[in-house]
Amino acid sequence: MSTQTTSSASAPIESIARARRWPQEVNILLVLLGIALLFELLGWFIQGQSFLFNYNRLQIMILQVAVIGIIAVGVTQVIITGGIDLSSGSVVAATAMIAASFAQSSDWARVIYPSLTDLPFFVPLAVGLGVGLIAGITNGALIAYTKIPPFIATLGMMVSARGISRWYTNGNPVSGFTDDFVLIGDGLGRWMPVVIFLAVALIFHIALRYTRYGKFTYAIGANQQAARVSGINIERHLVKVYAIAGLLAGLAGVVAIARIKTAQAGMGMMYELDAIAAAVIGGVSLAGGQGKITGAVIGALILGVMISGFTFLRVDAYYQDIIKGGIIVAAVVVDQYRQRRRKKS
Amino acid sequence: MAAQAAVSPQTMRAVRHSGAVPSSEFLLEIEGVRKEFPGVVALDDIRFTLKRGTVHALMGENGAGKSTLMKIIAGIYQPDAGSIKLKGLGIRLESPLDALENGIAMIHQELNLMSFMTVAENIWIRREPLNRLGLVDHARMHRMTQELFDRLNIDLDPDAEIGSLSVANRQMVEIAKAVSYESDVLIMDEPTSALTEREVAHLFQIIRDLRAQGIGIIYITHKMNELFEIADEFSVFRDGRFIATQPASAVTRDDIIKMMVGREITQMFPKEDVPIGEVVLSVKGLTLGSRFRDVSFDLRAGEILGVAGLVGSGRSNVAETLFGVTPATAGSIEVFGKQVTISSPYKALLLGMAFLTEDRKDTGCFLSLDVQENMQMAVLHENFVRAGFVSESAIATACEDMCGKLRVKTPGLGERIENLSGGNQQKVLVGRWLLTQPKILILDEPTRGIDVGAKAEIHRLVTELARTGVAVLMISSEMPEVLGMSDRIMVMHEGRVTGILDRSEADQVKIMDLAAK
């Protein structure tokens, strides 16, 4: 047999010709552009005006995307590990209520903590991030160490965090924020939430691509057993990932109240599902191990364009939801189809 | 290609139900069956016959093709060539249900019962007796089950939940279920592997009763003494080929072992004598619950210690325990003379150990990731990372060099590993561990399911590593590989070490003797 016949010491990789694969995110971007152009056309035909070239509409659309987008960046990482986070919407509400109580101005009539008014903006911001972090760590620890399914752990958090947001002020809204704090949602000519969203997306895009944290995140989602045998501490890493998801939900809560200038216990309803939908539409596989932040960002934009487009065309809100549901399901069907085709090849 | 005269399962069923069952001495006659899987010929030109009212044992090493043949008979696989005759009539079986309805039932090693349902529900699933309203008639189902159990002398409550039964009792339920299909052919795949002696005796009694009723039983086993106790005939398979069928009364244990292993080592293994150094791994009394007990051995630098034994003998469990995947419940491990506790793979990694797992798909590859990502995963704990950031260019260079050294055939480092052949996947995984520059390398079936060329390259590589002073523990089911590569061979049987043979004294018969006690 071949003992040592052809051992050219260190040959380069033996190549097999193969066409370069088209990055999946490009397809999703094309879908986004296609949808935008469709609305543009429909706009001229039906409304007699442009859909895209309208500064106000564009700004409102992107601002709506920003909050969901920040959550989606965290949820994407959770989904890449093969998990799910249902608690984000409730965590948004809980952090919003608690952070709001530290963001009030002394000239507001009904303040929660009269001795804690006019605090600098970073105090409520830190409080919000802290609350989100605690929720995330709780999720992660439950999942990693008690081995309960992520669905159940985060379902529990979803219910509890919503309860906390109601209990905190007995269901009363909190308003009267300092000018300082409001800038988090209103600064830079109202573009601040978008800047925060893009910064967060960039940071975690880099983290997933270029750091060990990212490599391990994909590894756990791709094959947890293999990851364990490769010496990865699965438990510790899962806590990190869920903690980040919680932290980002907290940030989203702070940004949301700074923008709308009031915090309510009922806010953030269904945000978790919008964030998951954004990730899934963006090609993040629910099976784990695959997906990119860029995909989730585009996915969030697709959702935003659709909602904004339907509103622009005066499509009834009920129809909007019906169509949105269909799109989410279609995205997963496409994902499944892709998985199956890959297995066959 | 497949038998032209084959009748469809539907016709066969109609014939069976009309009562006009053609009489034939043989329940099953199999001729020239061939089955290929990508890259491997699992079965080639197989003959096999099963007579009415006999127990026919199937013997052979791991990978001899026994299970594949049984899966063909049970309709799970379809043969690429050859004919199958059931009671003298050619037949094509297209699914397990086909086989079942034609009177062929298989009792799998891993029992296929639904644990939250009752015994009776499991037996009559899909065939539940219905009352006039079309609802399940539980009373009648209970009665039918009781009658079945009476016939088989099984003492079980038809309404018990499967989950509450012991493995032995679940097996009884499986057998009863098979019999309830009025099966003529019953396939049992190592049915005694999880049974106590008393349970085995009961099982054998049931088998004898069934035999007396004219049922033919195909009995796969690795245990020689069972063969002589229960089998009328036996067939030996080796490397996917049929070797012989003989009456069990005509042979001795040694004859069978020779038939099972009787092959020359035709492949060349580039084993070199390299200087053997200090003891680097010393294991004493290592135990993991009931999986294996009291395993002790020393492993020296430059040495290749082969581990032989049948599937289920605890070989892989020992490897997993050494690497911290399933920490030991008792015993001690010394690495470089220092007593250590290996509670996780990470700890093992820090001690200079590396572990190529047995199952490439389940515990090896990250299928959705690319070649480089697969290769770099174990080395990122220590090297190529600064402040959390992976040094992409350095690691890519290292991976590229490793791919060159191992002659991995891939379009590039960015190719998904699932698009590579099995042999190349395996090389990538070997590369994963070589990047960590291990001192102790544990290989579990390093060449399983890969082609001959890749096999030889992995052998060459292991030998080279041994020469550089790496201590290698190599588990393998392939006799020639173990004999060709190892300095010493440790043989395991039912969770215990039954012997450690030196290279000079080891041969296939001695190993098989220790492995199949």
Side-chain angles (χ1 to χ4, degrees), chain A residues 103-121:
Chain A
Q104 288 176 305
S105 142
S106 53
D107 38 333
W108 187 254
R110 286 169 291 137
V111 287
I112 309 277
Y113 304 119
S115 58
L116 292 172
T117 51
D118 293 330
L119 298 170
F121 78 94

Side-chain angles (χ1 to χ4, degrees), chain A residues 1-21:
Chain A
M1 279 301 308
S2 71
T3 36
Q4 253 138 2
T5 41
T6 54
S7 59
S8 49
S10 178
I13 299 174
E14 293 185 45
S15 274
I16 306 166
R18 181 181 267 271
R20 288 276 316 147
R21 217 184 286 274

Side-chain angles (χ1 to χ4, degrees), chain A residues 11 14 210 212 223 230-231 342, chain B residues 365 380-381 388 390 404 410 418:
Chain A
E14 293 185 45
Y210 301 105
R212 177 163 59 190
N223 187 339
S230 301
R342 191 173 296 128
Chain B
C365 291
L380 293 181
H381 300 283
V390 177
T410 167
E418 65 186 338

Side-chain angles (χ1 to χ4, degrees), chain A residues 229-317:
Chain A
V229 177
S230 301
I232 297 172
N233 187 330
I234 314 268
E235 288 77 18
R236 206 170 56 197
H237 198 84
L238 284 178
V239 173
K240 276 188 211 167
V241 173
Y242 282 91
I244 287 171
L247 185 79
L248 292 180
L251 178 62
V254 172
V255 170
I257 54 170
R259 189 165 80 86
I260 56 180
K261 298 174 191 67
T262 178
Q264 292 175 13
M267 66 189 291
M269 277 297 179
M270 303 272 268
Y271 278 20
E272 64 280 345
L273 297 183
D274 282 345
I276 294 167
V280 170
I281 291 171
V284 181
S285 167
L286 286 172
Q290 301 172 66
K292 295 200 178 111
I293 296 290
T294 46
V297 169
I298 302 169
L301 284 171
I302 289 179
L303 280 179
V305 169
M306 309 238 12
I307 291 166
S308 171
F310 285 136
T311 312
F312 166 62
L313 296 177
R314 311 240 166 83
V315 175
D316 194 273

Side-chain angles (χ1 to χ4, degrees), chain B residues 49 100 111 114 176 189 220 264 289 291 300 307 315 335 423 426 456 466:
Chain B
T49 52
L100 207 53
L111 303 176
M114 288 142 282
D189 191 356
I220 301 180
E264 298 302 309
R291 305 312 299 259
R300 294 168 180 274
V307 184
R315 300 173 309 176
V335 176
Q426 189 75 339

